[in-house]
Structures are given as structure tokens and as C-alpha cells.
Amino acid sequence: MVEIVKNRSEILFIYDVTDANPNGDPAEENKPRVDEETGVNIVTDVRLKRTIRDYLHDFKGLEIFIREIRDENGYLQDAKTRAEDFLYDKKGKKIKKNTLKSVQEMEQIVQENVTNSCIDVRLFGATIPVELAPKKAGSVTLTGPVQFKMGRSLHKVDVTYIKGTGAFASAPGKEQFTFREEYILPYSLIAFYGIINENAAQKTKVTNADVELLLEGIWNGTKNLISRSKVGQIPRLLLQVILKEKNYHIGELDHRINLVTEKRDEEIRRISEVQLDLTALAEVLEKNKDKIAKIRYAKDKYLNLMKDGKPIEVKKLVPDIPIESLSFLKKKEG
């Protein structure tokens, strides 16, 4: 039985990157994004959503609305053309635009088919332009139940410039090689915070099964970022705090974590050189325990956690709240 999400959730996701660029800024020579005031690495929510989308499409075989599609001539499909991929009746037969009575009818058909077919629209929403005819245009606007803040590193980072030679000549007939240059981070431990809004879920039809795939996409999608600029990213901790109380959330779980290290921030190079102090997180969860149904988690074995100055396991973080492994990990273990 398909069950629409009824409970609000909060998500805390922590991962690290070694000798790579987690999210380049095209306006700044594709350098890693850094807050100039604090020296903290920034990763956009769009980057995380792209990670999830690619995993769900490439590894789970699911339909994704926002993806690169090219026609037979190699031209990239635009949003209006992509919307028309979902202009079909309940039997799957293509609907011709000249048979529709209004833009509103077209919007309704596209919205229903997109939300039924595309998990990324159900999760993240979308603004989808439609055009029935010249000067007869509209759009489908869906607010995504799943929203993330910008990810930020838990420490200052060191942006490193690398220059090297390429494999080809700089021009025909030349003996010298081309040069390549890039910017990387030797290390960055990044925290994301997100919310799954049960109210918006009713409109986009997000199911509990969709949420399971979202969490799997966050964890395994990060593992599968194996392009040259992204290899070296490892998921370290993923928490889903499922709430009982309607229209309530704790907020800023990412602010309740402190990084502990004996090194200067910019000198950190490995996960073994840091610990995460979850004391403040445990306190706020304990304070809100009557509003929390349960906590689900995934944790990398190399991440060291502490509470009140002592090592702690996630499942013992807050004694009065049920804490269990995420379902995709249970399947793997089974």
C-alpha cells in the first residue's frame, strides 16, 4: 500500500572530501566555494540534490525530471520540451497539443503525470514551463517537501592550487604540452541540514518509500561520486529525526555539533584527526523527546563521536528515544 508521508522529519548529513572539489563556483574559475569571512567551505543544496538525482536515475533506474537529455542532433532539451514528454493520457498515449482546450488543461495533465512518474519532483518540487501555442503559456509550480540549507564545513579549509601538464600538444605542430590548472580542498568535513515537510508532501504525493530512496540516495549517492573532481567523498553520518507533533521542528541540528581536533583547522587531512562532539545535539533531542517518534541513522565506522567528553555510539545518544539503523542498511546487512 502506497502511504503518503504524514510525519515531519529533520535530516542531518555529514560527509567529507579529500583532495577534491566538492562544489566549484563557475563564476570564480570553478574554485571550491568558501565563505570569505569565516574561511568555511560552502556546498549548495543544488549539488546535494544532483547527487541524489543521479543515484536514483543511474543506480535505481527511476525517472528523473531534471536531467540532461539531448536530441538526435546533440542539442540539449529545454524545460518546455521536457514538459511535453509528460503530455499523455491515462493509457500512456501521447496527447497532441492542438486537441487541448486550454493552458490550464495542459498544466493539469503535465502535473499529474510528472508527480506520478518523477521521484525528484515529488521530493524537491519544480517549476515547469508549458506552452500550448505562441502567447499561450503557463507553468506548473510545485513546492518540494524536501529542502536543504547550504552545506557548510565544520572547520576552516585550505584552498590549494594545482598546476600540471596535459596529455596533448598545445596546438597542431607544437612540441609542448597543454597545461591544466585546478583548485582543490585537501580536506573538508561538511554538514547539511534538511527538512521533510509533511504538508507539502500531500501535494507532490511523496510516499514513505520515496523518503527511503532519498536517504539511500544521500548516503550511497555520495559514495558513487567518482568523477575526477569528486572522487574522495565519503558519507560519515546521516540522521533522520522523525517527529510526532504536526507543524513542529527543532531546527538547526547542524549547529549542535562541534568539531574537536588537536590540529589547526586548515591542517586537518583525515577523519581520524577529528572527533564530533554531539553533546549539544543530545541535549536538544532530549529536550524535545516528547515530540520525537524515533531517530534513524547511518554511520561510517571511522567516524569518532563523543558526548560529555566520552566516546558515544549513535544508538545510545539519547536513552529515551528509539534509535535504529536506516532500512537500506538493514537490507544490506540481511
Side-chain angles (χ1 to χ4, degrees):
M1 180 180 176
V2 176
E3 186 176 4
I4 303 297
V5 169
K6 296 179 181 178
N7 294 79
R8 183 167 299 186
S9 291
E10 296 180 68
I11 296 171
L12 176 65
F13 176 51
I14 297 172
Y15 71 104
D16 64 2
V17 55
T18 304
D19 294 330
N21 184 351
N23 187 207
D25 185 349
E28 292 289 337
E29 303 176 82
N30 207 43
K31 293 179 183 178
R33 300 172 192 267
V34 175
D35 184 327
E36 294 182 2
E37 295 295 326
T38 64
V40 162
N41 176 211
I42 298 172
V43 179
T44 67
D45 62 316
V46 174
R47 173 61 261 180
L48 179 58
K49 289 176 181 178
R50 183 75 269 158
T51 297
I52 297 164
R53 283 186 168 102
D54 288 348
Y55 177 80
L56 295 179
H57 180 264
D58 297 344
F59 293 91
K60 304 299 288 188
L62 299 175
E63 180 62 285
I64 298 297
F65 184 81
I66 299 178
R67 60 185 175 93
E68 182 179 307
I69 300 175
R70 295 183 181 273
D71 64 21
E72 57 187 15
N73 296 315
Y75 294 116
L76 191 62
Q77 189 181 60
D78 63 18
K80 291 179 183 177
T81 306
R82 179 63 172 146
E84 291 178 19
D85 289 343
F86 297 89
L87 199 57
Y88 49 80
D89 63 21
K90 295 186 182 300
K91 295 182 179 180
K93 184 179 179 180
K94 190 71 177 177
I95 297 174
K96 295 181 179 179
K97 290 197 291 184
N98 59 13
T99 64
L100 298 175
K101 297 176 182 178
S102 65
V103 172
Q104 289 73 28
E105 183 182 6
M106 185 177 183
E107 290 172 347
Q108 184 178 356
I109 294 169
V110 169
Q111 176 173 326
E112 182 175 358
N113 289 335
V114 166
T115 52
N116 285 339
S117 301
C118 299
I119 187 172
D120 62 329
V121 174
R122 293 198 298 274
L123 291 170
F124 307 131
T127 298
I128 305 170
V130 298
E131 185 175 80
L132 183 59
K135 298 183 180 180
K136 289 186 177 181
S139 67
V140 174
T141 301
L142 294 165
T143 300
V146 180
Q147 298 296 337
F148 295 100
K149 288 170 40 180
M150 292 274 195
R152 286 180 172 266
S153 63
L154 298 170
H155 56 98
K156 295 179 182 179
V157 295
D158 175 28
V159 179
T160 302
Y161 172 70
I162 297 176
K163 191 169 185 177
T165 56
F168 297 100
S170 58
K174 298 287 186 178
E175 294 184 0
Q176 66 200 50
F177 290 108
T178 56
F179 287 97
R180 61 175 178 81
E181 52 187 39
E182 60 186 313
Y183 295 87
I184 65 165
L185 299 179
Y187 190 78
S188 181
L189 184 63
I190 302 156
F192 267 99
Y193 169 75
I195 295 180
I196 304 174
N197 186 327
E198 77 284 9
N199 299 313
Q202 306 305 309
K203 188 167 185 179
T204 65
K205 306 175 185 176
V206 165
T207 66
N208 290 326
D210 290 334
V211 171
E212 298 301 312
L213 288 164
L214 165 73
L215 297 169
E216 182 179 344
I218 293 172
W219 191 263
N220 288 338
T222 299
K223 284 186 175 182
N224 282 285
L225 285 172
I226 52 176
S227 67
R228 186 175 182 279
S229 67
K230 299 292 183 288
V231 68
Q233 302 198 44
I234 303 294
R236 298 298 183 179
L237 182 66
L238 175 59
L239 297 181
Q240 180 197 18
V241 180
I242 303 174
L243 299 159
K244 293 190 250 185
E245 187 167 325
K246 292 288 185 181
N247 302 313
Y248 177 83
H249 62 269
I250 301 164
E252 297 187 329
L253 299 184
D254 53 325
H255 291 186
R256 315 289 180 175
I257 295 173
N258 292 309
L259 183 143
V260 178
T261 181
E262 295 180 355
K263 291 182 172 286
R264 191 169 61 89
D265 277 12
E266 294 91 339
E267 294 176 343
I268 301 169
R269 294 294 183 269
R270 303 181 64 181
I271 192 65
S272 59
E273 297 171 348
V274 305
Q275 291 180 303
L276 292 187
D277 184 352
L278 304 187
T279 304
L281 178 64
E283 287 175 355
V284 76
L285 293 174
E286 174 70 25
K287 183 178 179 180
N288 288 275
K289 65 182 180 182
D290 293 338
K291 299 179 175 67
I292 297 172
K294 64 180 174 179
I295 296 172
R296 305 165 73 215
Y297 76 95
K299 178 190 170 294
D300 177 71
K301 64 181 179 180
Y302 296 110
L303 175 65
N304 295 312
L305 304 176
M306 57 188 293
K307 175 187 172 185
D308 297 324
K310 299 178 181 178
I312 186 73
E313 296 178 29
V314 177
K315 60 184 178 182
K316 296 181 180 180
L317 186 62
V318 187
D320 298 328
I321 300 175
I323 302 177
E324 62 185 40
S325 296
L326 284 161
S327 61
F328 68 87
L329 294 175
K330 292 177 180 178
K331 291 177 184 176
K332 186 176 180 181
E333 291 165 0

